[in-house]
Amino acid sequence: MRTVNPATGEPGPELAASTPQQVSEAIARARSAQGAWAARPIAERIALLKKVRQAFLEQAEALVEVLGEETGRPAGESWLSEVVPNGDLFDWWLSAGARHLRRERVSLNPINFPKKVAFIEHLPRGVVTLITPWNLPVAIPLRTLVPALLAGNAVVFKPSEHAPRCGAFLARLFTEVLGEGLVECVQGEGDTGAALVEGEVDLVVFTGSVKTGKVVSAACATRLVPCSLELGGNDAAIVLADAQLERAAEGIAWGACFNAGQNCAAVERVYVERAIAEDFLAKLQAVFERLRPRDDVGPLTTDFQLETVERHLGEAREKGAIVRCGGARPEGPGRYHLPTLVVVESDDLSLMREETFGPVLAVRIVDTAEEAVRLADDSPYGLTASIWTADVYRGWALGKDLQVGVLTVNNHSFTGGVPSLPWSGPKETGGGITNSHLALEKLTRPRTVLLDRSKAARELWWYPYNDTLVEIAVALRDGALGKLGSMLKLPGLLGKRFR
Ligand code: NDP
């Protein structure tokens, strides 16, 4: 395997792809390491993962260099999206997040269940397969690696074929501290991912396209292996007439062009109220024209992405869209595309319906806020949406019916880098959850433990079934209906049953 630096066209070093045999061996090593890891007290797991955090932060310069070679991204962007938030990610999971792994005591109804105590334990799944895309090749794997390991799992991880060295770098950081087996990195293309999904694993965590997500989900379904899917997005921003236009323009331009638009939560569509549309467009265009390819907006990572951008733009032009700025590749080497602002009138464009995943923003002028919300929601995806307005509560109220996993008012998408907040989305976005304690619902399995100190020979619901049992049940039902008088009969009935 070999990647090409998308900024310069220079080939990177060669890497060996894993054979199917090596994939099975990696899973077997993970399986044999996992039990002992899960058996260690959580304080020990936390202490070791803190050492990985230290190494991650200390070696960040080298990681940013590899990121630059594989993705061509500006270094400042890599630092702020792939390094700094991940220090927070380790910190949150290794303190507040870890508290969610404690067993919970659950109180039981003392009349129905006397002398019993119950607990919920959060046990690791076992061996987790982690398959990730190329667009955020550090942040996305870490969002699963850290909590999965903390919870006592081992992980077999396949980075994208377009960012294999970033994946290998991360895996090495873990292996140097934790030893072999707990983070196994396998390399390759889709067939390696497929082999991993079909291996003897206990959970598949997948981030990638809807198309591949459906294939992975089907493969898991046939074997009843649980899976968590984080798939695409085609996010909308809604700009209301009372918005602070300068902030809206700056924020939306960043949301659209961050990572050259190769972000699942990139703003791809804007719905702006007619009253301020021209003013807003002028401000947005000024920001777009200020953005420098290479320094501010990196290249498209793959030829396929560049072709998608050009295809979607070509179709929009043919159907009458007006390109306000950009619309072409800049001079010079690399897979760059100019930040591009397009005004559209049709909702039936690939730009409006599909994931473009490039530095292209389509703006559609609407007559009312309600129309904007309706159009924003008319999408197969449901990752994030933002509403820009001077009245944050009006924005929140307007967005209450939007079928998205993240709703932001006067900001866009950055909460993906906040470890305490769930990152998720309904519809074709897949419904998987990363970040926050809610991610543990997939990374762990619950076990109920019931301890019974009762010395009675029989429980209420055990044999024999007789008339007294029916009378007790009726009294309990009446009690549940608030007829407390019936409850007075209970001690006598219970005495009779257990005599
Ligand atoms: P792909 O679906 O093409 O690939 C994702 C991963 O799956 C890659 O590692 C890929 O390997 C692997 N893969 C490919 N085929 C199979 C298979 N049959 N079985 C198992 N694994 C397979 O997505 P991209 O890499 O192109 O990533 C971009 C997509 O990711 C966008 O749709 C984006 O929206 C989404 N995404 C979603 C996020 C979210 O949080 N919701 C976050 C970031 C991205 P290989 O690359 O080697 O082919």
Side-chain angles (χ1 to χ4, degrees), residues 131-136 140 143 158-162 188-191 193-194 197 206-210 212-213 215-216 230-233 263-264 305 355 357 383 423 429 434:
I131 300 176
T132 54
W134 44 265
N135 63 328
L136 291 162
I140 290 176
R143 277 187 209 174
K158 192 200 92 63
S160 165
E161 66 184 289
H162 304 293
E189 302 182 5
D191 53 347
V197 170
F206 173 86
T207 303
S209 64
V210 172
T212 313
V215 173
V216 167
E230 297 241 20
L231 311 177
N263 177 18
C264 49
Q305 274 317 130
E355 215 178 18
F357 234 53
L383 190 49
W423 185 253
T429 295
T434 48

Side-chain angles (χ1 to χ4, degrees), residues 307-351:
E307 283 156 23
T308 306
V309 166
E310 291 182 334
R311 183 162 36 83
H312 286 190
L313 266 178
E315 183 214 30
R317 278 191 170 107
E318 269 172 32
K319 293 190 178 168
I322 294 165
V323 176
R324 295 272 294 230
C325 62
R329 301 183 190 194
E331 298 281 306
R335 288 192 198 108
Y336 289 92
H337 196 280
L338 290 171
T340 300
L341 185 60
V342 191
V343 180
V344 305
E345 284 186 2
S346 165
D347 302 307
D348 188 24
L349 297 173
S350 303
L351 276 185

Side-chain angles (χ1 to χ4, degrees), residues 59-360:
Q59 296 179 41
E61 277 85 357
L63 182 57
V64 167
E65 204 164 304
V66 178
L67 263 163
E69 286 165 15
E70 288 197 326
T71 68
R73 288 170 72 179
E77 193 173 85
S78 292
W79 275 98
L80 282 170
S81 59
E82 303 265 36
V83 177
V84 176
N86 290 323
D88 290 349
L89 178 128
F90 274 99
D91 291 343
W92 187 79
W93 277 112
L94 302 183
S95 55
R99 289 202 271 280
H100 294 278
L101 287 165
R102 285 183 188 153
R103 70 165 174 259
E104 298 160 49
R105 189 181 164 141
V106 178
S107 56
L108 301 178
N109 178 336
I111 297 176
N112 295 10
F113 307 116
K115 300 215 165 27
K116 298 172 196 2
V117 255
F119 297 89
I120 302 172
E121 295 177 325
H122 302 285
L123 303 183
R125 290 268 175 192
V127 176
V128 176
T129 280
L130 172 62
I131 300 176
T132 54
W134 44 265
N135 63 328
L136 291 162
V138 175
I140 290 176
L142 282 176
R143 277 187 209 174
T144 295
L145 281 166
V146 177
L149 289 160
L150 176 71
N153 297 288
V155 181
V156 186
F157 162 42
K158 192 200 92 63
S160 165
E161 66 184 289
H162 304 293
R165 289 169 59 217
C166 286
F169 195 113
L170 277 185
R172 176 183 58 73
L173 291 178
F174 283 92
T175 306
E176 280 176 359
V177 176
L178 308 179
E180 274 216 338
L182 293 174
V183 176
E184 287 286 326
C185 182
V186 296
Q187 297 283 7
E189 302 182 5
D191 53 347
T192 309
L196 203 44
V197 170
E198 275 150 29
E200 289 300 314
V201 297
D202 304 299
L203 169 72
V204 174
V205 177
F206 173 86
T207 303
S209 64
V210 172
K211 189 168 154 235
T212 313
K214 286 180 179 172
V215 173
V216 167
S217 173
C220 289
T222 57
R223 296 168 48 234
L224 295 180
V225 171
C227 70
S228 170
L229 304 173
E230 297 241 20
L231 311 177
N234 182 9
D235 288 6
I238 295 172
V239 182
L240 301 183
D242 67 352
Q244 188 192 332
L245 294 189
E246 193 178 342
R247 179 177 173 82
E250 293 282 348
I252 290 171
W254 176 82
C257 296
F258 159 73
N259 204 11
Q262 301 166 117
N263 177 18
C264 49
V267 189
E268 300 211 354
R269 305 172 283 151
V270 176
Y271 299 96
V272 56
E273 281 195 278
R274 192 174 298 281
I276 44 100
E278 247 332 298
D279 202 2
F280 171 68
L281 273 165
K283 288 188 163 56
L284 192 58
Q285 184 172 344
V287 184
F288 265 63
E289 285 175 343
R290 202 182 65 209
L291 297 178
R292 300 156 301 169
R294 295 182 177 82
D295 297 319
D296 296 316
V297 182
L300 282 306
T301 303
T302 66
D303 284 331
F304 173 77
Q305 274 317 130
L306 189 51
E307 283 156 23
T308 306
V309 166
E310 291 182 334
R311 183 162 36 83
H312 286 190
L313 266 178
E315 183 214 30
R317 278 191 170 107
E318 269 172 32
K319 293 190 178 168
I322 294 165
V323 176
R324 295 272 294 230
C325 62
R329 301 183 190 194
E331 298 281 306
R335 288 192 198 108
Y336 289 92
H337 196 280
L338 290 171
T340 300
L341 185 60
V342 191
V343 180
V344 305
E345 284 186 2
S346 165
D347 302 307
D348 188 24
L349 297 173
S350 303
L351 276 185
M352 305 302 273
R353 313 259 352 134
E354 294 171 27
E355 215 178 18
T356 303
F357 234 53
V360 179

